[in-house]
Amino acid sequence: MSSHTLPHVTAFPLHGGDVRAPADVFNSIFEVFLVLGAVVGIVVVTYTMYHAVKYRESASEEDPYTDKVERPQLGEKPTGGTGGRKVFYSFGISAVIVISLIAWTYTTLLYVENGPDDDRADIDAIDIDVEGFRFGWAFTYPNGHETNTLVVPQDRVIRLQVTSSDVFHNFGIPELRVKTDAIPGQTTTAWFTAPETGEYEAKCYELCGSGHSVMVAPVEVVTQSEYEEWYSDTQASSNGTSGNETAALAPSGTATVGGAPA
């Protein structure tokens, strides 16, 4: 797999903590649909129950509307009414809500699909190549270091270039809401940020053979300083590490001298 060079660190790099993570986006969509669905359900059920109780038939009572309305006889067309205004208002309000919800959801998912604006020079992102194979994952960092464990710092934008060396796979980290196809001969992209340190698990979500269920890889989210220390150790066994790659590891606002943190 080819390595990718990380961008320069600017005076004020934008870390993942300043970027809305895909996990937060999906949580927001879920919450909006949950709240809106609950409100609609409560209104509909309440309205139905109110009219069911109010206009229920009772054997001990006469029709309260006998003197108020003139009921049509068999074969006659009903007259009066509101001309369907209630239906029109109900349909109009419902259409506005549904169309607005669709537009908002589509725009939100476009952000997840495209990621943070690539034109912004202040995005401090890390690019990692991911290759699926029967039955595991290989992660290649910009300095050429390859490992079967994905190690990333918290609150950083992580961009993944995903492919496969044999059959169709699907790379996903469920806790971080990142998922994309791994297709032989093609490269797909995905991105995420991890606001909290911890251990996660990357899985394959495409049935790829007898070992599909064990095609997992550890994902370790560490602090920025721990990531720098780990990445520096990988450089000893990697060739062609550029100063730009080391500079991209520096914390926010840290100057670099000769490719290393000053």
Side-chain angles (χ1 to χ4, degrees):
M1 298 174 64
S2 61
S3 61
H4 295 260
T5 302
L6 293 175
H8 292 279
V9 172
T10 62
F12 301 99
L14 179 63
H15 287 269
D18 303 313
V19 174
R20 195 180 185 197
D24 296 332
V25 174
F26 286 119
N27 288 341
S28 298
I29 294 175
F30 171 77
E31 292 169 357
V32 169
F33 273 84
L34 177 64
V35 172
L36 188 59
V39 171
V40 171
I42 291 173
V43 170
V44 171
V45 172
T46 302
Y47 183 84
T48 303
M49 294 301 298
Y50 169 76
H51 283 81
V53 173
K54 181 178 180 179
Y55 299 109
R56 69 187 186 278
E57 182 179 2
S58 176
S60 60
E61 297 180 3
E62 296 182 357
D63 186 356
Y65 295 94
T66 301
D67 300 329
K68 299 179 181 179
V69 296
E70 183 179 351
R71 302 192 183 280
Q73 300 297 319
L74 182 63
E76 293 181 349
K77 293 184 178 180
T79 59
T82 59
R85 285 197 299 270
K86 289 185 178 180
V87 175
F88 176 78
Y89 292 147
S90 300
F91 178 80
I93 294 173
S94 300
V96 170
I97 293 175
V98 171
I99 293 175
S100 300
L101 191 61
I102 292 174
W104 174 77
T105 304
Y106 178 76
T107 303
T108 305
L109 292 178
L110 278 182
Y111 168 76
V112 175
E113 180 73 19
N114 299 328
D117 191 353
D118 292 334
D119 295 333
R120 295 176 62 176
D122 58 349
I123 293 183
D124 186 13
I126 298 177
D127 294 341
I128 301 174
D129 289 339
V130 182
E131 184 177 64
F133 59 89
R134 290 181 170 179
F135 295 99
W137 300 100
F139 307 100
T140 303
Y141 287 77
N143 64 353
H145 177 71
E146 184 174 318
T147 177
N148 298 118
T149 299
L150 180 61
V151 181
V152 298
Q154 70 177 130
D155 287 337
R156 292 283 293 274
V157 177
I158 309 299
R159 289 195 179 101
L160 306 176
Q161 290 79 40
V162 184
T163 188
S164 170
S165 62
D166 40 43
V167 298
F168 277 47
H169 301 285
N170 189 287
F171 178 84
I173 309 174
E175 295 88 348
L176 301 177
R177 306 294 194 276
V178 56
K179 191 170 181 285
T180 187
D181 290 323
I183 304 173
Q186 298 184 26
T187 299
T188 60
T189 60
W191 71 279
F192 68 93
T193 66
E196 298 180 359
T197 60
E199 296 183 357
Y200 304 92
E201 194 173 61
K203 302 178 181 181
C204 178
Y205 288 88
E206 185 83 26
L207 185 59
C208 55
S210 59
H212 165 72
S213 60
V214 297
M215 189 172 171
V216 297
V219 179
E220 297 180 5
V221 179
V222 298
T223 63
Q224 175 68 32
S225 59
E226 291 175 332
Y227 177 76
E228 292 175 25
E229 182 179 357
W230 173 84
Y231 193 79
S232 297
D233 291 339
T234 68
Q235 294 175 0
S237 59
S238 303
N239 298 323
T241 304
S242 67
N244 293 340
E245 294 167 353
T246 306
L249 298 174
S252 175
T254 302
T256 60
V257 178

